[in-house]
Amino acid sequence: MPSWYETIIDEARLTAQTLLDRAENLASPTLRLGITGLSRAGKTVFTTALVHALMRGGRLPVFRAMHEGRIAGARLEPQPDDDVPRFDYEGHLATLVDERRWPDSTRRISELRLAIDYAPARGGRRMLTLDIVDYPGEWLLDLPLLEQDYAAFAAQSLRLARAPARQALAAPFLAELKATDPDAPADEATARRLAGLFTDYLAACRTETVSMSLLPPGRFLMPGDLEGSPALTFAPLDLDEGREPPSGSLHAMMKRRYDAYKDTIVRPFFRDHFARLDRQIVLIDVLAALNAGPAALADLESALDGILGAFRVGRNSWLEALFRHRIGKVLFAATKADHLHHTSHDPLEAILRRLVERALARAHSAGSEIDVVALAAVRATREAMVKRGRSHLPAIVGVPEAGQHGADAFDGLAEAAVFPGDLPEAPSALFDPGVGFSGLSDAQGGDFRFLRFRPPLVERNADGEALALPHIRLDRALEFLLGDRLK
Ligand code: GDP
């Protein structure tokens, strides 16, 4: 199919959808909020905490509509899209509060509709319908693929795989590739073996100690409902530049599947979901990247470039049509700030701001209003001064999850105090080679950089319902994302 033809079809579909959205918007104002971030960034926890805060309130001084008592109530309503799974708010909240476990992470797109009943500052009564769409950030990083053919994708993927920080992890895949002739006859077993090894390499880049971010194609790590489907059974091949695939070859088969991946998976996602968002929060586990070291931080920066690319309007492209409905506000949030002492919250925010600004400077134009925040959607720790030798040092105290740290495994019941490493006041220090974040340590100096705490104990009312969840700066995120629509 020629690409202009696809553009027209996509545009027509998008226009129809936009008209539907607009008609609904006239009947009652609607805001579509996207919540994204790479796996484990904190999407499920954030979404649950956001909905809980809107429905139950809490200490949210910066979120003005709530603080001024203008939100009369918020309730869940049936969502607009029948073909998207519902975000399991009740289940996730029960896991957090009743079991004091973190809920299962986002694996696919899901949606939830909330009707917010509020009083505008000038008086009267209004209703804002908030549609929350939670989706894997890995999918967002697929956007550049739409403008890349298979040869370009293969060349770029292999360049990344051979970069110093990744080479060792990619070794089994690269060895298999060396033994593969792209001109050999197409063969399902070979395709599956290569796709499997390629996926293993991408997954190895995502482990806590490595913590890379830029790992397309996104569905290889987050397949949603498509696990094992042929559109995901391809891999980059080592091709001679400019060489056309002989028909019936492995090369031709990989190219066809790559094209199918773009046409049947990536484009529909951007058209049907991403292009309809009004606001977006991008959650980023900056601490994980800092802990893993300079290579992870550099990789995160490249991923941010990719994400910002999705928010700017491309010229003369299919994307231009797509982005006529533009995302007005984007918030980048560094999550899990409760792993740090409060004196490090501003520095954490400064590091993220620096990362985003560098990416923005590289982007030609950014149509959206952009801000950054360091937050903890659910605060699992408290602060205390702990005696160490003769001095008292600021520590964070929480219940570490059971079974971490091998021989000295925690039991998941007792509290432990850890001394979070200090983030440098000036973020520029982190961008010097060789300077990393020293991370959390305990009194004996053990390496607790990757420690996970259990969720906090939450107070309940007489009906057994959870009262406010503790958080850090969730109210700032709410004010930026929703405040102007609740004035
Ligand atoms: P998702 O993959 O983006 O949906 O990530 P989740 O929301 O499932 O979060 C992944 C993990 O990060 C959780 O299981 C928690 O261990 C941790 N986490 C997420 N948010 C917070 C937070 O606000 N505070 C703390 N201490 N941990 C968090």
Side-chain angles (χ1 to χ4, degrees):
M1 214 185 327
S3 66
W4 59 265
Y5 181 76
E6 282 171 6
T7 304
I8 289 175
I9 296 197
D10 281 336
E11 251 195 276
R13 278 205 212 166
L14 198 63
T15 310
Q17 187 58 55
T18 309
L19 285 177
L20 267 179
D21 286 350
R22 264 193 213 140
E24 194 175 16
N25 211 359
L26 281 181
S28 114
T30 301
L31 195 66
R32 275 180 93 82
L33 169 65
I35 294 175
T36 196
L38 297 179
S39 66
R40 319 282 306 155
K43 297 179 289 295
T44 310
V45 174
F46 179 86
T47 308
T48 307
L50 175 126
V51 174
H52 192 264
L54 286 169
M55 289 179 45
R56 301 257 170 254
R59 239 187 63 77
L60 303 158
V62 179
F63 183 35
R64 297 202 23 211
M66 183 71 83
H67 187 62
E68 291 165 3
R70 293 191 288 104
I71 296 190
R75 59 174 189 281
L76 296 170
E77 291 212 324
Q79 63 187 56
D81 301 295
D82 292 331
D83 54 349
V84 179
R86 181 177 182 276
F87 180 84
D88 181 17
Y89 167 69
E90 297 82 355
H92 293 326
L93 184 68
T95 308
L96 257 177
V97 175
D98 299 343
E99 299 175 34
R100 279 189 76 186
R101 277 194 309 112
W102 298 104
D104 287 344
S105 297
T106 300
R107 314 278 316 163
R108 55 181 188 180
I109 189 165
S110 67
E111 195 176 76
L112 195 68
R113 171 169 277 194
L114 207 58
I116 306 172
D117 188 6
Y118 72 101
R122 62 186 176 280
R125 208 56 184 266
R126 285 279 169 79
M127 175 86 81
L128 177 69
T129 303
L130 180 67
D131 284 330
I132 298 170
V133 184
D134 168 22
Y135 66 92
E138 284 80 358
W139 300 3
L140 207 51
L141 288 172
D142 270 349
L143 185 71
L145 300 189
L146 287 176
E147 295 188 283
Q148 246 176 18
D149 63 11
Y150 176 69
F153 157 76
Q156 197 192 351
S157 302
L158 294 184
R159 213 168 25 246
L160 271 176
R162 288 175 178 138
R166 297 178 174 211
Q167 210 170 30
L169 301 170
F173 168 69
L174 292 172
E176 183 72 22
L177 200 61
K178 215 171 182 177
T180 305
D181 175 10
D183 288 354
D187 166 44
E188 185 62 32
T190 311
R192 289 186 48 183
R193 199 167 50 244
L194 280 169
L197 288 168
F198 186 62
T199 311
D200 290 347
Y201 140 68
L202 294 177
C205 289
R206 255 328 266 170
T207 55
E208 263 182 342
T209 45
V210 183
S211 205
M212 293 285 169
S213 303
L214 188 63
L215 302 163
R219 304 276 169 155
F220 279 47
L221 292 181
M222 278 290 147
D225 304 326
L226 295 164
E227 201 150 1
S229 82
L232 298 194
T233 315
F234 68 92
L237 290 174
D238 216 350
L239 305 169
D240 293 331
E241 208 174 308
R243 181 160 170 74
E244 284 301 311
S247 78
S249 64
L250 187 65
H251 179 181
M253 179 191 202
M254 293 292 195
K255 180 179 179 323
R256 197 171 57 244
R257 289 185 173 179
Y258 172 78
D259 289 340
Y261 178 77
K262 291 201 313 185
D263 290 342
T264 60
I265 299 171
V266 182
R267 289 166 67 97
F269 165 70
F270 279 94
R271 183 191 60 216
D272 299 340
H273 301 294
F274 184 74
R276 290 167 60 207
L277 298 174
D278 303 302
R279 303 272 156 103
Q280 174 71 59
I281 180 166
V282 182
L283 303 172
I284 302 170
D285 195 343
V286 178
L287 275 174
L290 286 174
N291 276 328
L297 206 57
D299 206 68
L300 173 59
E301 242 191 292
S302 312
L304 279 174
D305 279 356
I307 290 174
L308 275 164
F311 297 122
R312 66 175 197 251
V313 184
R315 253 191 224 136
N316 292 332
S317 68
W318 176 76
L319 296 174
E320 194 184 9
L322 201 61
F323 288 101
R324 221 164 272 158
H325 174 98
R326 190 183 296 165
I327 294 181
K329 286 182 155 204
V330 184
L331 182 61
F332 289 91
T335 52
K336 310 180 196 178
D338 56 334
H339 280 95
L340 296 173
H341 192 256
H342 73 264
T343 48
S344 286
H345 295 165
D346 284 340
L348 179 63
E349 210 165 281
I351 290 165
L352 180 60
R353 188 176 300 280
R354 172 80 179 236
L355 285 167
V356 170
E357 274 171 5
R358 280 157 61 121
L360 267 178
R362 283 186 294 267
H364 298 303
S365 68
S368 323
E369 186 187 333
I370 289 177
D371 203 0
V372 301
V373 64
L375 58 76
V378 175
R379 177 179 197 154
T381 65
R382 58 188 169 82
E383 293 183 356
M385 296 301 280
V386 172
K387 198 159 182 267
R388 195 190 206 184
R390 286 200 192 152
S391 46
H392 283 82
L393 292 178
I396 54 168
V397 179
V399 180
E401 281 181 5
Q404 301 179 83
H405 286 272
D408 339 309
F410 295 104
D411 62 4
L413 299 171
E415 282 195 326
V418 291
F419 300 100
D422 280 331
L423 291 178
E425 286 287 326
S428 52
L430 283 163
F431 295 96
D432 291 339
V435 180
F437 169 47
S438 59
L440 303 164
S441 61
D442 75 344
Q444 284 78 45
D447 181 358
F448 283 91
R449 284 182 296 173
F450 304 112
L451 198 63
R452 283 187 308 276
F453 294 100
R454 287 183 66 188
L457 197 60
V458 177
E459 285 181 54
R460 295 161 191 267
N461 63 17
D463 297 330
E465 291 166 338
L467 294 175
L469 302 177
H471 68 88
I472 296 169
R473 298 183 181 177
L474 179 66
D475 48 344
R476 273 193 42 197
L478 283 164
E479 180 64 21
F480 178 80
L481 294 168
L482 308 178
D484 60 323
R485 297 296 298 269
L486 297 168
K487 270 189 176 155

